Amino acid sequence: MSTVEKEWPLYEVFVRGKRGLNHVHVGSLHAADDRMALLHARDVYTRRNEGVSIWVVRADAIAASSPDEKDPMFAPSGDKVYRHPTFYDIPDNVPHM
Amino acid sequence: MTLTETAPGASEADLERQFEATIARHDRIEPRDWMPEGYRRTLVRQIAQHAHSEIIGMQPEGNWITRAPSLRRKAILLAKVQDEAGHGLYLYSAAETLGVSRLELTELLLAGRQKYSSIFNYPTLSYADVGTIGWLVDGAAICNQVPLCRTSYGPYGRAMIRVCKEESFHQRQGYELLATMMRGTDEQRAMVQESVNRFWWPALMMFGPPDADSPNTAQSMAWGIKRNTNDELRQKFVDMSVPQAEALGVTLPDPELRWNEERGHHDFGQPDWEEFMEGVKGNGPCNAQRMAHRRRAHEEGAWVREAATAYAAKQRGAAS
């Protein structure tokens, strides 16, 4: 990233809304280091009790699938309908299933 | 993250068909999807202008923080102005997913090559203006922004959802401030009316020029970036504001404003579009002051940014 020297690096921010939930991506911000990224994330993304825990990670450290490669990437799950419970016919008189 | 990796072998026409199909399904476009250059350019321009507006928009109200009439009003105003900074950051963050950097956008603003909403070029002359801005200016912003929560570009829509949640506080604190003044002295009521007189027409201008003079609207709507035309949103705002003004006990300064039974909407007069165009060209009442302040803040903050970068580099050096 050529802009790093002029501009603080970009961090992606993930917030756990409350105990029992996953961290969810909420946006990004710029910070000089990890600690500043956490403090900025608190100020920008949790001004109204939106979170109980924050993860920040440098955007250039994330490996991502590309939607344009959707077919080959996600095809293995597309043709395995037998992985879903609705694939199986169970008689109506069988309870609790 | 790297942007727009395209599947090998897909032709430009295939990609464009996929893009059009996604828009037609009312599905969202996401950052790494292929998109037409015009779509990307329109979004960058619109989101950047929106982000700049939030940041410049801190100035008219920031003007009154040190002179708030009570600790309660001061705490509210501080929280509000801090939210505007936050909104600017959500929006810069959305713009950056399109492959531009926040610094680039800031530099374009400072060079006068990108714009911000002309509403922020009007001065705030009394504390009643803090209330009027919350009620009318943030009210108009909400009208504009609620449909943008469903805009076709995912990161923009998600930023708008966060912004809209917070704008509701902004509008309500403004209305409550004005209602409190209206229960006060004759002098306070006169301050509110005078403030509403100044801000009503600029608030109507926030929806942009009439549809006939808005050449980009059709393309933006075809792309699902905009969901309503300028005139539709302006009408909605007028219809919402009339009963609110009645409840408050102020008069909206438009002699042509009246209920039209046949249309089921209010008829109203047109703002001074020449004044609007002057503001867009940079000749509004406070353009020069707003830009000078923004430039000074950017320049005077440079040492903080540099010091933090140097400290981070030093810490990394010590750790390795």
Side-chain angles (χ1 to χ4, degrees), chain B residues 57-70 72-81 84 119-120 122-139 167-181 188 191-196 198-199 248 290:
Chain B
M58 296 163 75
Q59 292 184 40
E61 292 184 281
N63 180 36
W64 285 96
I65 290 174
T66 56
R67 293 171 290 164
S70 67
R72 177 176 182 270
R73 294 291 170 195
K74 186 173 188 152
I76 292 169
L77 186 54
L78 268 172
K80 196 199 155 191
V81 172
E84 308 295 1
I119 190 73
F120 302 114
Y122 291 90
T124 43
L125 304 179
S126 80
Y127 207 82
D129 288 357
V130 173
T132 309
I133 288 175
W135 172 37
L136 293 178
V137 174
D138 293 321
E167 287 290 349
S168 174
F169 144 57
H170 297 180
Q171 194 188 22
R172 290 173 68 110
Q173 67 81 32
Y175 194 83
E176 186 236 34
L177 191 162
L178 296 179
T180 306
M181 289 184 78
Q188 285 175 306
M191 274 171 78
V192 173
Q193 183 63 57
E194 189 273 336
S195 173
V196 169
R198 274 185 290 113
F199 275 97
L248 200 55
R290 300 286 185 246

Side-chain angles (χ1 to χ4, degrees), chain A residues 7-8 28 30 47-48 67, chain B residues 33 83 93 96 103 166 309:
Chain A
E7 195 169 22
W8 292 339
S28 65
H30 290 275
R47 285 195 301 286
R48 289 178 177 78
Chain B
D33 289 337
D83 273 354
S93 162
E96 288 193 295
L103 182 63
E166 298 180 355
T309 305

Side-chain angles (χ1 to χ4, degrees), chain B residues 3-145:
Chain B
L3 293 156
T4 50
E5 289 165 17
T6 52
S11 75
E12 178 114 348
D14 285 342
L15 293 168
E16 184 140 15
R17 256 195 306 280
Q18 280 173 29
F19 171 85
E20 296 291 347
T22 305
I23 298 279
R25 282 198 309 272
H26 299 289
D27 225 342
R28 300 292 189 267
I29 304 296
E30 293 294 344
R32 290 158 63 86
D33 289 337
W34 181 91
M35 60 187 84
E37 196 41 44
Y39 179 83
R40 181 188 302 277
R41 220 176 21 245
T42 301
L43 276 171
V44 168
R45 194 192 61 221
Q46 181 170 333
I47 301 173
Q49 173 167 340
H50 199 156
H52 298 328
S53 299
E54 300 283 357
I55 298 298
I56 297 284
M58 296 163 75
Q59 292 184 40
E61 292 184 281
N63 180 36
W64 285 96
I65 290 174
T66 56
R67 293 171 290 164
S70 67
L71 189 55
R72 177 176 182 270
R73 294 291 170 195
K74 186 173 188 152
I76 292 169
L77 186 54
L78 268 172
K80 196 199 155 191
V81 172
Q82 189 192 10
D83 273 354
E84 308 295 1
H87 296 177
L89 294 176
Y90 303 156
L91 286 156
Y92 283 126
S93 162
E96 288 193 295
T97 64
L98 291 159
V100 290
S101 78
R102 187 176 80 191
L103 182 63
E104 257 176 277
L105 299 177
T106 302
E107 284 170 352
L108 286 169
L109 172 71
L110 297 183
R113 289 174 53 208
Q114 278 182 343
K115 300 195 185 307
Y116 56 90
S117 173
S118 294
I119 190 73
F120 302 114
N121 289 319
Y122 291 90
T124 43
L125 304 179
S126 80
Y127 207 82
D129 288 357
V130 173
T132 309
I133 288 175
W135 172 37
L136 293 178
V137 174
D138 293 321
I142 291 171
C143 268
N144 261 328
Q145 292 169 356

